[in-house]
Amino acid sequence: MIVEEKISPEQFQPAHIDTGKGEVIEKPSLTFWQDAWLRVRKNKGAIVSMVLLIILIIMAFIGPHINHYGFNDQNLAKANLPPRIPGLEKMGIFDGTQTVAGQKVNLYEQKGIKDYYWFGTDSLGRDLFTRVWKGTRISLYIAFLAAAINMLIGVAYGAISGYYGGKVDNIMQRIIEILSGIPDLVVVILMILVLQPGIISITVALTITGWVGMARVVRGQILKLKSQEYVLAAKTLGAKDGKIIFKHLIPNMASVIIINTMFIIPSAIFFESFLSFIGLGLQAPTASLGTLIEDGYKVLRFLPYQMLFPAAILSIIMIAFNLLADGLRDALDPKMRD
């Protein structure tokens, strides 16, 4: 049964529109960086990578101090012990057992060792847990230092080249072409011949040619921005070239600089690990992820755990930095926005 409802004429009255509310902004305005952070938060891969990197960086500083073993403390009686972790050993994993002649043998009980080595020990009886986090700290230090130097040199060089243009730009770009034509490995070998193998020689080798990519990116941005109205206004008001470059142009390229720097860091970490792996990097007893992987590679068939942990941490760092850099690029680059 259909019930008819009477509609009164008052319901057909036109709605009252307040023209004054047309300009009211209901949603609070966001700055560029606030909007970028909201976009990064939507990227689950970038957030997970950021959390992992924070944990790894914290462990790189506090990890070597968690137990009482030094990174170079040697004890041949405890050499090549497999990992043994409290709690997990009751579950049958990381319980200190190792397969010998087809049978599982608990080396800790066999040698009467009551201590726990969470990542095991190497051929000299050194604690791998301490050495892995010590090596992570050194690898991150070299990478961040090289990335910072590359950023400073590349930004300044590219900004000056792009801003002045003409003969200055032509000469500076020819220098970049010469440097980019020199293989990185050749530069490293020359640095090691001149300097002692170590952190300084690797950092210098990474920075001699590493800033070239940043300089080219910054130069391209400067060429695009230097004809903008705010730059012309600054020139009209009598601002000097240095002030225009470093106060007006470079701050407007902050997103591009951050994105490129984030991609430089994993490349520097991998290059340092590669050099240490082939014997051109850090020398014993100093540990880095590359030297630890190189030591573990020698006994990979018999003691795979010695290579497993440093290789896993290096892989996590590389993947996390690249995913975070991709997330920042999507959030900061206007061309990548929906």
Side-chain angles (χ1 to χ4, degrees):
M1 181 177 179
I2 299 176
V3 179
E4 295 183 359
E5 182 180 356
K6 293 184 178 180
I7 301 176
S8 61
E10 288 78 8
Q11 291 178 298
F12 287 92
Q13 296 295 326
H16 176 69
I17 299 176
D18 189 354
T19 56
K21 293 183 177 180
E23 301 297 327
V24 176
I25 301 176
E26 297 293 339
K27 185 178 179 181
S29 59
L30 298 175
T31 64
F32 173 78
W33 296 106
Q34 289 174 335
D35 181 60
W37 171 240
L38 289 177
R39 292 177 179 274
V40 171
R41 286 171 55 183
K42 295 178 181 178
N43 191 324
K44 295 181 180 179
I47 293 298
V48 172
S49 300
M50 186 185 302
V51 173
L52 287 175
L53 287 174
I54 291 173
I55 293 173
L56 289 175
I57 291 173
I58 293 174
M59 286 300 299
F61 284 96
I62 69 173
H65 307 288
I66 289 178
N67 54 36
H68 59 277
Y69 307 114
F71 82 97
N72 198 35
D73 293 346
Q74 302 179 17
N75 189 343
L76 294 178
K78 300 179 179 179
N80 296 326
L81 290 176
R84 185 186 183 190
I85 302 176
L88 293 181
E89 62 178 343
K90 296 179 181 179
M91 301 170 59
I93 55 176
F94 298 120
D95 55 357
T97 59
Q98 185 174 324
T99 303
V100 179
Q103 295 182 347
K104 282 191 174 183
V105 179
N106 192 317
L107 296 182
Y108 287 82
E109 295 178 355
Q110 190 180 69
K111 296 183 178 182
I113 299 173
K114 296 181 179 180
D115 295 330
Y116 286 87
Y117 291 93
W118 297 347
F119 287 179
T121 60
D122 62 7
S123 59
L124 296 177
R126 295 174 294 190
D127 178 43
L128 282 178
F129 182 85
T130 304
R131 289 181 63 78
V132 164
W133 294 120
K134 182 76 173 180
T136 303
R137 183 199 303 179
I138 293 176
S139 295
L140 289 173
Y141 168 75
I142 293 174
F144 278 109
L145 180 61
I149 296 174
N150 288 343
M151 181 184 69
L152 292 175
I153 297 176
V155 169
Y157 193 95
I160 293 172
S161 176
Y163 182 79
Y164 287 103
K167 292 183 178 179
V168 174
D169 182 40
N170 194 20
I171 294 172
M172 295 180 77
Q173 290 308 303
R174 299 296 80 76
I175 295 173
I176 284 182
E177 290 174 1
I178 293 172
L179 290 176
S180 61
I182 303 174
D184 293 337
L185 197 57
V186 174
V187 176
V188 173
I189 295 174
L190 291 175
M191 285 301 101
I192 292 175
L193 292 176
V194 176
L195 304 172
Q196 293 295 327
I199 295 176
I200 296 178
S201 59
I202 292 177
T203 305
V204 172
L206 288 172
T207 54
I208 284 180
T209 58
W211 55 269
V212 170
M214 177 70 77
R216 285 176 168 170
V217 171
V218 171
R219 173 181 174 270
Q221 293 293 317
I222 290 288
L223 291 174
K224 184 172 66 174
L225 294 176
K226 71 177 184 179
S227 59
Q228 296 292 322
E229 287 80 1
Y230 63 88
V231 178
L232 299 177
K235 289 182 179 179
T236 304
L237 294 173
K240 295 182 179 180
D241 292 340
K243 186 176 182 180
I244 294 174
I245 293 174
F246 293 101
K247 188 176 180 180
H248 297 290
L249 290 173
I250 291 180
N252 283 282
M253 297 185 298
S255 60
V256 177
I257 294 171
I258 292 173
I259 293 169
N260 281 273
T261 302
M262 290 299 297
F263 280 109
I264 289 174
I265 293 174
S267 300
I269 292 175
F270 180 79
F271 191 61
E272 181 277 326
S273 300
F274 167 72
L275 293 176
S276 298
F277 182 79
I278 63 176
L280 295 177
L282 301 178
Q283 303 299 313
T286 307
S288 72
L289 292 177
T291 58
L292 292 172
I293 292 173
E294 194 257 340
D295 291 340
Y297 178 74
K298 298 175 182 177
V299 292
L300 177 62
R301 293 180 60 187
F302 310 103
L303 305 169
Y305 65 88
Q306 292 191 13
M307 183 177 173
L308 172 64
F309 295 108
I313 291 177
L314 177 63
S315 301
I316 292 172
I317 291 175
M318 294 285 295
I319 295 172
F321 265 116
N322 280 288
L323 288 177
L324 181 58
D326 284 335
L328 290 176
R329 182 188 60 190
D330 296 342
L332 296 175
D333 191 353
K335 297 179 182 178
M336 302 297 294
R337 299 187 179 185
D338 298 333

